[in-house]
Amino acid sequence: MTKKQERDRARRRWEKQQRIQAQRAERRERTKRLVAILGTGIVVAGLVAGLAVALKPEPEAETPTASKTTAAGCEQPPQPLGTAAKLELPDKATAKATTWTATLTTNCGDIVLELDGAKAPQAVASFIQLARADYWLNSPCQRLGVGEGFKLLQCGDPTGTGQGNPGYGFGVENAPANGTYPRGTVAMARTQDPAKGNGGQFFLVNGDTKLPDATGYTIFGTITQGLDIVDKVAAAGVEPGGESETIGAPKAPISILRVAVTEKKAQP
């Protein structure tokens, strides 16, 4: 082999080595770039995931509802809606001196009342207005009396506390002279003010009741259907810690879900 041939071979070996080194360097650079890209992607993915967790809305905490044992045939009542009513006292002429039918749809079934617009026009006019305004929507009956001579279920306060009112008051009308309220009576509950103490609360009498008050309470109707529902709630008794052992919140809860009122047409 001549010297020229040896030089050519050496040059080819050197060029080959340079190509190999260049290829290796290029592979290293590609690897670095790929690692950098993957690393950035991982970081971005991590950030995105972190943001997703950070921005994910927390599940709303459910408001606990105290379940009570209901009477047979009753569903659990809804939460009371309360009231911010600021209504005006309606004209008693709304009652039209006629008879009205009111259906109280409750969580225990329907209780139907017959309202006397002739004997208690202001109370009936008020009842009609409140029913049409959905004032009693999801309204608990908050007070029950199960003692001898005091058997009634008091309803009509949307707050369920006994403190709610429609924003107005009116006086007593058609109160019994002897202070006796027979089974099936529907009467207004009121404050100690007989001139302005009536509002939206009323009581359903499920046993002859004596209320020895000088002024008395407005009788404005009778229960024509569903008195057995009141009896069933009363049979469960009252919650402890009330006014007495026989007066307090009903153990078996009952709420008015809605009220519908229609004028009763005279029979031909």
mmCIF file of all heavy atoms in Angstrom, residues 186-238:
data_model
loop_
_atom_site.group_PDB
_atom_site.id
_atom_site.type_symbol
_atom_site.label_atom_id
_atom_site.label_comp_id
_atom_site.label_asym_id
_atom_site.label_seq_id
_atom_site.Cartn_x
_atom_site.Cartn_y
_atom_site.Cartn_z
ATOM 1 N N VAL A 186 -113.692 26.450 63.257
ATOM 2 C CA VAL A 186 -112.507 27.143 62.754
ATOM 3 C C VAL A 186 -112.563 28.565 63.291
ATOM 4 O O VAL A 186 -113.539 29.287 63.057
ATOM 5 C CB VAL A 186 -112.460 27.174 61.211
ATOM 6 C CG1 VAL A 186 -111.168 27.848 60.727
ATOM 7 C CG2 VAL A 186 -112.567 25.770 60.639
ATOM 8 N N ALA A 187 -111.537 28.970 64.032
ATOM 9 C CA ALA A 187 -111.550 30.293 64.664
ATOM 10 C C ALA A 187 -110.202 30.968 64.510
ATOM 11 O O ALA A 187 -109.171 30.309 64.314
ATOM 12 C CB ALA A 187 -111.917 30.171 66.144
ATOM 13 N N MET A 188 -110.207 32.299 64.606
ATOM 14 C CA MET A 188 -108.967 33.070 64.514
ATOM 15 C C MET A 188 -108.197 33.008 65.821
ATOM 16 O O MET A 188 -108.769 33.161 66.900
ATOM 17 C CB MET A 188 -109.273 34.531 64.180
ATOM 18 C CG MET A 188 -109.847 34.776 62.793
ATOM 19 S SD MET A 188 -108.751 34.281 61.431
ATOM 20 C CE MET A 188 -107.277 35.250 61.780
ATOM 21 N N ALA A 189 -106.904 32.802 65.721
ATOM 22 C CA ALA A 189 -106.015 32.986 66.870
ATOM 23 C C ALA A 189 -105.602 34.451 66.867
ATOM 24 O O ALA A 189 -105.548 35.086 65.810
ATOM 25 C CB ALA A 189 -104.795 32.085 66.743
ATOM 26 N N ARG A 190 -105.318 35.005 68.024
ATOM 27 C CA ARG A 190 -104.963 36.424 68.072
ATOM 28 C C ARG A 190 -104.015 36.722 69.229
ATOM 29 O O ARG A 190 -103.782 35.874 70.100
ATOM 30 C CB ARG A 190 -106.227 37.286 68.212
ATOM 31 C CG ARG A 190 -107.013 37.041 69.488
ATOM 32 C CD ARG A 190 -108.100 38.083 69.661
ATOM 33 N NE ARG A 190 -108.967 37.802 70.807
ATOM 34 C CZ ARG A 190 -108.656 38.068 72.072
ATOM 35 N NH1 ARG A 190 -107.480 38.607 72.373
ATOM 36 N NH2 ARG A 190 -109.508 37.782 73.043
ATOM 37 N N THR A 191 -103.505 37.934 69.215
ATOM 38 C CA THR A 191 -102.695 38.424 70.325
ATOM 39 C C THR A 191 -103.633 38.908 71.432
ATOM 40 O O THR A 191 -104.866 38.765 71.333
ATOM 41 C CB THR A 191 -101.793 39.585 69.878
ATOM 42 O OG1 THR A 191 -102.617 40.715 69.553
ATOM 43 C CG2 THR A 191 -100.966 39.207 68.651
ATOM 44 N N GLN A 192 -103.085 39.536 72.441
ATOM 45 C CA GLN A 192 -103.909 40.040 73.540
ATOM 46 C C GLN A 192 -104.681 41.306 73.169
ATOM 47 O O GLN A 192 -105.520 41.768 73.945
ATOM 48 C CB GLN A 192 -103.024 40.316 74.764
ATOM 49 C CG GLN A 192 -102.421 39.050 75.359
ATOM 50 C CD GLN A 192 -101.571 39.323 76.585
ATOM 51 O OE1 GLN A 192 -101.257 40.469 76.902
ATOM 52 N NE2 GLN A 192 -101.202 38.262 77.288
ATOM 53 N N ASP A 193 -104.385 41.853 71.997
ATOM 54 C CA ASP A 193 -105.092 43.055 71.543
ATOM 55 C C ASP A 193 -106.337 42.648 70.744
ATOM 56 O O ASP A 193 -106.219 42.239 69.592
ATOM 57 C CB ASP A 193 -104.167 43.901 70.666
ATOM 58 C CG ASP A 193 -104.829 45.183 70.177
ATOM 59 O OD1 ASP A 193 -105.989 45.438 70.553
ATOM 60 O OD2 ASP A 193 -104.179 45.922 69.418
ATOM 61 N N PRO A 194 -107.534 42.760 71.312
ATOM 62 C CA PRO A 194 -108.729 42.326 70.597
ATOM 63 C C PRO A 194 -109.106 43.218 69.419
ATOM 64 O O PRO A 194 -109.840 42.796 68.520
ATOM 65 C CB PRO A 194 -109.819 42.364 71.667
ATOM 66 C CG PRO A 194 -109.331 43.350 72.669
ATOM 67 C CD PRO A 194 -107.849 43.249 72.661
ATOM 68 N N ALA A 195 -108.562 44.448 69.394
ATOM 69 C CA ALA A 195 -108.904 45.375 68.314
ATOM 70 C C ALA A 195 -108.030 45.183 67.071
ATOM 71 O O ALA A 195 -108.478 45.423 65.951
ATOM 72 C CB ALA A 195 -108.786 46.817 68.809
ATOM 73 N N LYS A 196 -106.764 44.739 67.259
ATOM 74 C CA LYS A 196 -105.846 44.593 66.131
ATOM 75 C C LYS A 196 -105.079 43.274 66.169
ATOM 76 O O LYS A 196 -104.137 43.069 65.401
ATOM 77 C CB LYS A 196 -104.807 45.737 66.154
ATOM 78 C CG LYS A 196 -105.381 47.137 65.943
ATOM 79 C CD LYS A 196 -105.810 47.346 64.510
ATOM 80 C CE LYS A 196 -106.277 48.785 64.295
ATOM 81 N NZ LYS A 196 -106.697 49.022 62.893
ATOM 82 N N GLY A 197 -105.480 42.372 67.030
ATOM 83 C CA GLY A 197 -104.697 41.166 67.263
ATOM 84 C C GLY A 197 -104.887 40.022 66.299
ATOM 85 O O GLY A 197 -104.137 39.042 66.338
ATOM 86 N N ASN A 198 -105.883 40.096 65.425
ATOM 87 C CA ASN A 198 -106.091 39.038 64.436
ATOM 88 C C ASN A 198 -105.231 39.296 63.201
ATOM 89 O O ASN A 198 -105.073 40.439 62.771
ATOM 90 C CB ASN A 198 -107.562 38.986 64.010
ATOM 91 C CG ASN A 198 -108.478 38.575 65.137
ATOM 92 O OD1 ASN A 198 -108.549 37.407 65.494
ATOM 93 N ND2 ASN A 198 -109.178 39.541 65.725
ATOM 94 N N GLY A 199 -104.687 38.199 62.638
ATOM 95 C CA GLY A 199 -103.852 38.346 61.439
ATOM 96 C C GLY A 199 -104.016 37.151 60.524
ATOM 97 O O GLY A 199 -105.040 36.995 59.874
ATOM 98 N N GLY A 200 -103.010 36.285 60.499
ATOM 99 C CA GLY A 200 -103.075 35.131 59.602
ATOM 100 C C GLY A 200 -103.202 33.802 60.304
ATOM 101 O O GLY A 200 -103.365 32.766 59.657
ATOM 102 N N GLN A 201 -103.145 33.785 61.650
ATOM 103 C CA GLN A 201 -103.189 32.514 62.365
ATOM 104 C C GLN A 201 -104.620 32.144 62.762
ATOM 105 O O GLN A 201 -105.431 33.012 63.074
ATOM 106 C CB GLN A 201 -102.300 32.591 63.610
ATOM 107 C CG GLN A 201 -100.826 32.791 63.277
ATOM 108 C CD GLN A 201 -99.939 32.705 64.491
ATOM 109 O OE1 GLN A 201 -100.032 31.748 65.268
ATOM 110 N NE2 GLN A 201 -99.073 33.688 64.666
ATOM 111 N N PHE A 202 -104.862 30.847 62.756
ATOM 112 C CA PHE A 202 -106.194 30.340 63.079
ATOM 113 C C PHE A 202 -106.051 28.984 63.749
ATOM 114 O O PHE A 202 -104.969 28.386 63.738
ATOM 115 C CB PHE A 202 -107.057 30.228 61.811
ATOM 116 C CG PHE A 202 -106.432 29.406 60.716
ATOM 117 C CD1 PHE A 202 -106.681 28.040 60.616
ATOM 118 C CD2 PHE A 202 -105.585 29.987 59.784
ATOM 119 C CE1 PHE A 202 -106.106 27.273 59.615
ATOM 120 C CE2 PHE A 202 -104.996 29.229 58.777
ATOM 121 C CZ PHE A 202 -105.256 27.878 58.685
ATOM 122 N N PHE A 203 -107.120 28.498 64.349
ATOM 123 C CA PHE A 203 -107.046 27.171 64.954
ATOM 124 C C PHE A 203 -108.227 26.305 64.545
ATOM 125 O O PHE A 203 -109.333 26.777 64.286
ATOM 126 C CB PHE A 203 -106.875 27.228 66.474
ATOM 127 C CG PHE A 203 -107.899 28.024 67.236
ATOM 128 C CD1 PHE A 203 -109.072 27.441 67.694
ATOM 129 C CD2 PHE A 203 -107.675 29.365 67.533
ATOM 130 C CE1 PHE A 203 -110.001 28.159 68.433
ATOM 131 C CE2 PHE A 203 -108.598 30.098 68.277
ATOM 132 C CZ PHE A 203 -109.765 29.497 68.724
ATOM 133 N N LEU A 204 -107.921 25.018 64.449
ATOM 134 C CA LEU A 204 -108.893 23.990 64.079
ATOM 135 C C LEU A 204 -109.213 23.198 65.338
ATOM 136 O O LEU A 204 -108.332 22.594 65.941
ATOM 137 C CB LEU A 204 -108.308 23.067 63.004
ATOM 138 C CG LEU A 204 -107.680 23.753 61.772
ATOM 139 C CD1 LEU A 204 -107.022 22.709 60.864
ATOM 140 C CD2 LEU A 204 -108.728 24.554 61.002
ATOM 141 N N VAL A 205 -110.481 23.213 65.735
ATOM 142 C CA VAL A 205 -110.892 22.587 66.997
ATOM 143 C C VAL A 205 -111.318 21.144 66.739
ATOM 144 O O VAL A 205 -112.223 20.886 65.949
ATOM 145 C CB VAL A 205 -112.051 23.383 67.638
ATOM 146 C CG1 VAL A 205 -112.457 22.746 68.958
ATOM 147 C CG2 VAL A 205 -111.648 24.841 67.852
ATOM 148 N N ASN A 206 -110.648 20.205 67.408
ATOM 149 C CA ASN A 206 -110.997 18.792 67.221
ATOM 150 C C ASN A 206 -111.615 18.164 68.470
ATOM 151 O O ASN A 206 -111.727 16.934 68.566
ATOM 152 C CB ASN A 206 -109.771 17.983 66.779
ATOM 153 C CG ASN A 206 -108.734 17.861 67.874
ATOM 154 O OD1 ASN A 206 -108.353 18.857 68.473
ATOM 155 N ND2 ASN A 206 -108.257 16.644 68.132
ATOM 156 N N GLY A 207 -112.010 19.008 69.396
ATOM 157 C CA GLY A 207 -112.707 18.539 70.599
ATOM 158 C C GLY A 207 -113.271 19.754 71.324
ATOM 159 O O GLY A 207 -112.653 20.830 71.303
ATOM 160 N N ASP A 208 -114.452 19.622 71.920
ATOM 161 C CA ASP A 208 -115.081 20.778 72.568
ATOM 162 C C ASP A 208 -114.081 21.504 73.452
ATOM 163 O O ASP A 208 -113.440 20.904 74.330
ATOM 164 C CB ASP A 208 -116.289 20.333 73.375
ATOM 165 C CG ASP A 208 -117.423 19.842 72.488
ATOM 166 O OD1 ASP A 208 -117.327 20.038 71.256
ATOM 167 O OD2 ASP A 208 -118.399 19.269 73.002
ATOM 168 N N THR A 209 -113.914 22.803 73.191
ATOM 169 C CA THR A 209 -112.887 23.603 73.844
ATOM 170 C C THR A 209 -113.505 24.827 74.505
ATOM 171 O O THR A 209 -114.382 25.479 73.932
ATOM 172 C CB THR A 209 -111.821 24.043 72.810
ATOM 173 O OG1 THR A 209 -111.145 22.870 72.331
ATOM 174 C CG2 THR A 209 -110.807 24.996 73.406
ATOM 175 N N LYS A 210 -113.049 25.120 75.688
ATOM 176 C CA LYS A 210 -113.540 26.266 76.451
ATOM 177 C C LYS A 210 -112.405 27.277 76.572
ATOM 178 O O LYS A 210 -111.332 26.968 77.110
ATOM 179 C CB LYS A 210 -113.990 25.803 77.848
ATOM 180 C CG LYS A 210 -114.746 26.861 78.638
ATOM 181 C CD LYS A 210 -116.197 26.956 78.200
ATOM 182 C CE LYS A 210 -117.000 27.865 79.130
ATOM 183 N NZ LYS A 210 -118.390 28.011 78.700
ATOM 184 N N LEU A 211 -112.637 28.498 76.086
ATOM 185 C CA LEU A 211 -111.646 29.562 76.156
ATOM 186 C C LEU A 211 -112.283 30.747 76.881
ATOM 187 O O LEU A 211 -112.940 31.587 76.272
ATOM 188 C CB LEU A 211 -111.180 29.974 74.747
ATOM 189 C CG LEU A 211 -110.544 28.864 73.897
ATOM 190 C CD1 LEU A 211 -110.227 29.368 72.498
ATOM 191 C CD2 LEU A 211 -109.286 28.323 74.570
ATOM 192 N N PRO A 212 -112.107 30.794 78.190
ATOM 193 C CA PRO A 212 -112.755 31.828 78.993
ATOM 194 C C PRO A 212 -112.088 33.194 78.847
ATOM 195 O O PRO A 212 -111.347 33.653 79.714
ATOM 196 C CB PRO A 212 -112.620 31.284 80.416
ATOM 197 C CG PRO A 212 -111.365 30.472 80.384
ATOM 198 C CD PRO A 212 -111.278 29.886 79.011
ATOM 199 N N ASP A 213 -112.315 33.813 77.692
ATOM 200 C CA ASP A 213 -111.764 35.143 77.440
ATOM 201 C C ASP A 213 -112.933 36.113 77.295
ATOM 202 O O ASP A 213 -113.930 35.814 76.621
ATOM 203 C CB ASP A 213 -110.933 35.132 76.159
ATOM 204 C CG ASP A 213 -110.277 36.471 75.871
ATOM 205 O OD1 ASP A 213 -110.925 37.329 75.246
ATOM 206 O OD2 ASP A 213 -109.115 36.645 76.273
ATOM 207 N N ALA A 214 -112.811 37.288 77.897
ATOM 208 C CA ALA A 214 -113.927 38.244 77.896
ATOM 209 C C ALA A 214 -114.329 38.658 76.492
ATOM 210 O O ALA A 214 -115.510 38.859 76.200
ATOM 211 C CB ALA A 214 -113.540 39.465 78.727
ATOM 212 N N THR A 215 -113.331 38.798 75.610
ATOM 213 C CA THR A 215 -113.622 39.224 74.238
ATOM 214 C C THR A 215 -113.905 38.037 73.336
ATOM 215 O O THR A 215 -114.761 38.102 72.458
ATOM 216 C CB THR A 215 -112.447 40.038 73.671
ATOM 217 O OG1 THR A 215 -112.153 41.119 74.564
ATOM 218 C CG2 THR A 215 -112.777 40.602 72.307
ATOM 219 N N GLY A 216 -113.190 36.975 73.524
ATOM 220 C CA GLY A 216 -113.387 35.779 72.715
ATOM 221 C C GLY A 216 -112.588 35.789 71.424
ATOM 222 O O GLY A 216 -111.792 36.697 71.165
ATOM 223 N N TYR A 217 -112.810 34.773 70.622
ATOM 224 C CA TYR A 217 -112.074 34.583 69.378
ATOM 225 C C TYR A 217 -113.065 34.411 68.225
ATOM 226 O O TYR A 217 -114.096 33.756 68.372
ATOM 227 C CB TYR A 217 -111.173 33.345 69.492
ATOM 228 C CG TYR A 217 -110.166 33.467 70.609
ATOM 229 C CD1 TYR A 217 -110.519 33.154 71.929
ATOM 230 C CD2 TYR A 217 -108.879 33.930 70.376
ATOM 231 C CE1 TYR A 217 -109.604 33.281 72.969
ATOM 232 C CE2 TYR A 217 -107.961 34.058 71.416
ATOM 233 C CZ TYR A 217 -108.329 33.743 72.709
ATOM 234 O OH TYR A 217 -107.428 33.882 73.737
ATOM 235 N N THR A 218 -112.711 34.998 67.096
ATOM 236 C CA THR A 218 -113.599 35.002 65.937
ATOM 237 C C THR A 218 -113.830 33.603 65.385
ATOM 238 O O THR A 218 -112.886 32.931 64.943
ATOM 239 C CB THR A 218 -113.008 35.878 64.820
ATOM 240 O OG1 THR A 218 -112.838 37.200 65.298
ATOM 241 C CG2 THR A 218 -113.917 35.885 63.593
ATOM 242 N N ILE A 219 -115.072 33.166 65.373
ATOM 243 C CA ILE A 219 -115.439 31.932 64.674
ATOM 244 C C ILE A 219 -115.808 32.318 63.245
ATOM 245 O O ILE A 219 -116.712 33.126 63.035
ATOM 246 C CB ILE A 219 -116.621 31.218 65.360
ATOM 247 C CG1 ILE A 219 -116.195 30.692 66.737
ATOM 248 C CG2 ILE A 219 -117.129 30.069 64.487
ATOM 249 C CD1 ILE A 219 -117.311 30.027 67.519
ATOM 250 N N PHE A 220 -115.100 31.758 62.280
ATOM 251 C CA PHE A 220 -115.384 32.137 60.887
ATOM 252 C C PHE A 220 -115.621 30.945 59.967
ATOM 253 O O PHE A 220 -115.784 31.104 58.758
ATOM 254 C CB PHE A 220 -114.266 33.018 60.323
ATOM 255 C CG PHE A 220 -112.932 32.344 60.122
ATOM 256 C CD1 PHE A 220 -112.528 31.934 58.862
ATOM 257 C CD2 PHE A 220 -112.066 32.128 61.192
ATOM 258 C CE1 PHE A 220 -111.297 31.337 58.668
ATOM 259 C CE2 PHE A 220 -110.831 31.531 61.003
ATOM 260 C CZ PHE A 220 -110.437 31.128 59.745
ATOM 261 N N GLY A 221 -115.691 29.741 60.541
ATOM 262 C CA GLY A 221 -115.966 28.603 59.684
ATOM 263 C C GLY A 221 -116.042 27.294 60.440
ATOM 264 O O GLY A 221 -115.934 27.252 61.675
ATOM 265 N N THR A 222 -116.256 26.222 59.682
ATOM 266 C CA THR A 222 -116.317 24.865 60.240
ATOM 267 C C THR A 222 -115.513 23.918 59.362
ATOM 268 O O THR A 222 -115.305 24.167 58.165
ATOM 269 C CB THR A 222 -117.771 24.358 60.332
ATOM 270 O OG1 THR A 222 -118.367 24.424 59.023
ATOM 271 C CG2 THR A 222 -118.595 25.196 61.295
ATOM 272 N N ILE A 223 -115.069 22.833 59.966
ATOM 273 C CA ILE A 223 -114.340 21.795 59.223
ATOM 274 C C ILE A 223 -115.363 20.806 58.668
ATOM 275 O O ILE A 223 -116.126 20.201 59.420
ATOM 276 C CB ILE A 223 -113.342 21.064 60.131
ATOM 277 C CG1 ILE A 223 -112.366 22.062 60.764
ATOM 278 C CG2 ILE A 223 -112.575 19.994 59.354
ATOM 279 C CD1 ILE A 223 -111.498 21.471 61.861
ATOM 280 N N THR A 224 -115.383 20.647 57.371
ATOM 281 C CA THR A 224 -116.346 19.737 56.742
ATOM 282 C C THR A 224 -115.698 18.431 56.284
ATOM 283 O O THR A 224 -116.397 17.461 55.993
ATOM 284 C CB THR A 224 -117.020 20.415 55.535
ATOM 285 O OG1 THR A 224 -116.021 20.786 54.575
ATOM 286 C CG2 THR A 224 -117.788 21.660 55.969
ATOM 287 N N GLN A 225 -114.369 18.407 56.207
ATOM 288 C CA GLN A 225 -113.657 17.191 55.786
ATOM 289 C C GLN A 225 -112.224 17.251 56.322
ATOM 290 O O GLN A 225 -111.613 18.309 56.351
ATOM 291 C CB GLN A 225 -113.636 17.107 54.260
ATOM 292 C CG GLN A 225 -112.919 15.887 53.688
ATOM 293 C CD GLN A 225 -112.870 15.929 52.170
ATOM 294 O OE1 GLN A 225 -113.840 16.328 51.506
ATOM 295 N NE2 GLN A 225 -111.739 15.526 51.606
ATOM 296 N N GLY A 226 -111.730 16.102 56.766
ATOM 297 C CA GLY A 226 -110.341 16.034 57.211
ATOM 298 C C GLY A 226 -110.145 16.243 58.700
ATOM 299 O O GLY A 226 -109.003 16.344 59.157
ATOM 300 N N LEU A 227 -111.235 16.263 59.471
ATOM 301 C CA LEU A 227 -111.081 16.397 60.922
ATOM 302 C C LEU A 227 -110.335 15.192 61.502
ATOM 303 O O LEU A 227 -109.658 15.303 62.527
ATOM 304 C CB LEU A 227 -112.457 16.552 61.569
ATOM 305 C CG LEU A 227 -112.512 17.014 63.030
ATOM 306 C CD1 LEU A 227 -111.672 18.257 63.263
ATOM 307 C CD2 LEU A 227 -113.956 17.245 63.466
ATOM 308 N N ASP A 228 -110.442 14.065 60.818
ATOM 309 C CA ASP A 228 -109.718 12.879 61.265
ATOM 310 C C ASP A 228 -108.201 13.078 61.185
ATOM 311 O O ASP A 228 -107.438 12.463 61.939
ATOM 312 C CB ASP A 228 -110.139 11.661 60.437
ATOM 313 C CG ASP A 228 -109.856 11.847 58.948
ATOM 314 O OD1 ASP A 228 -110.212 12.921 58.400
ATOM 315 O OD2 ASP A 228 -109.292 10.930 58.322
ATOM 316 N N ILE A 229 -107.761 13.943 60.276
ATOM 317 C CA ILE A 229 -106.331 14.249 60.171
ATOM 318 C C ILE A 229 -105.859 14.975 61.426
ATOM 319 O O ILE A 229 -104.809 14.661 61.999
ATOM 320 C CB ILE A 229 -106.050 15.098 58.910
ATOM 321 C CG1 ILE A 229 -106.290 14.265 57.649
ATOM 322 C CG2 ILE A 229 -104.630 15.651 58.931
ATOM 323 C CD1 ILE A 229 -106.170 15.041 56.358
ATOM 324 N N VAL A 230 -106.656 15.941 61.875
ATOM 325 C CA VAL A 230 -106.325 16.666 63.105
ATOM 326 C C VAL A 230 -106.321 15.695 64.287
ATOM 327 O O VAL A 230 -105.438 15.740 65.155
ATOM 328 C CB VAL A 230 -107.313 17.826 63.346
ATOM 329 C CG1 VAL A 230 -106.918 18.611 64.590
ATOM 330 C CG2 VAL A 230 -107.365 18.757 62.135
ATOM 331 N N ASP A 231 -107.303 14.795 64.313
ATOM 332 C CA ASP A 231 -107.357 13.785 65.387
ATOM 333 C C ASP A 231 -106.097 12.926 65.398
ATOM 334 O O ASP A 231 -105.546 12.605 66.462
ATOM 335 C CB ASP A 231 -108.581 12.879 65.201
ATOM 336 C CG ASP A 231 -109.897 13.598 65.446
ATOM 337 O OD1 ASP A 231 -109.896 14.623 66.158
ATOM 338 O OD2 ASP A 231 -110.934 13.133 64.925
ATOM 339 N N LYS A 232 -105.649 12.557 64.219
ATOM 340 C CA LYS A 232 -104.472 11.680 64.092
ATOM 341 C C LYS A 232 -103.213 12.382 64.591
ATOM 342 O O LYS A 232 -102.387 11.783 65.296
ATOM 343 C CB LYS A 232 -104.338 11.283 62.619
ATOM 344 C CG LYS A 232 -103.307 10.246 62.315
ATOM 345 C CD LYS A 232 -103.513 9.660 60.919
ATOM 346 C CE LYS A 232 -103.662 10.708 59.846
ATOM 347 N NZ LYS A 232 -103.792 10.098 58.493
ATOM 348 N N VAL A 233 -103.062 13.651 64.242
ATOM 349 C CA VAL A 233 -101.915 14.432 64.706
ATOM 350 C C VAL A 233 -101.989 14.619 66.219
ATOM 351 O O VAL A 233 -100.986 14.485 66.936
ATOM 352 C CB VAL A 233 -101.865 15.792 63.984
ATOM 353 C CG1 VAL A 233 -100.822 16.711 64.614
ATOM 354 C CG2 VAL A 233 -101.564 15.595 62.497
ATOM 355 N N ALA A 234 -103.188 14.886 66.720
ATOM 356 C CA ALA A 234 -103.370 15.093 68.162
ATOM 357 C C ALA A 234 -103.065 13.827 68.950
ATOM 358 O O ALA A 234 -102.540 13.884 70.070
ATOM 359 C CB ALA A 234 -104.794 15.564 68.439
ATOM 360 N N ALA A 235 -103.383 12.668 68.370
ATOM 361 C CA ALA A 235 -103.165 11.400 69.065
ATOM 362 C C ALA A 235 -101.684 11.141 69.343
ATOM 363 O O ALA A 235 -101.333 10.428 70.284
ATOM 364 C CB ALA A 235 -103.755 10.255 68.239
ATOM 365 N N ALA A 236 -100.812 11.749 68.546
ATOM 366 C CA ALA A 236 -99.366 11.566 68.745
ATOM 367 C C ALA A 236 -98.843 12.422 69.889
ATOM 368 O O ALA A 236 -97.718 12.222 70.348
ATOM 369 C CB ALA A 236 -98.619 11.892 67.451
ATOM 370 N N GLY A 237 -99.631 13.393 70.340
ATOM 371 C CA GLY A 237 -99.227 14.210 71.482
ATOM 372 C C GLY A 237 -98.358 15.396 71.108
ATOM 373 O O GLY A 237 -98.194 15.731 69.931
ATOM 374 N N VAL A 238 -97.796 16.036 72.140
ATOM 375 C CA VAL A 238 -96.990 17.240 71.940
ATOM 376 C C VAL A 238 -95.537 16.987 72.303
ATOM 377 O O VAL A 238 -95.213 16.074 73.072
ATOM 378 C CB VAL A 238 -97.547 18.419 72.770
ATOM 379 C CG1 VAL A 238 -98.977 18.736 72.374
ATOM 380 C CG2 VAL A 238 -97.454 18.131 74.260
#
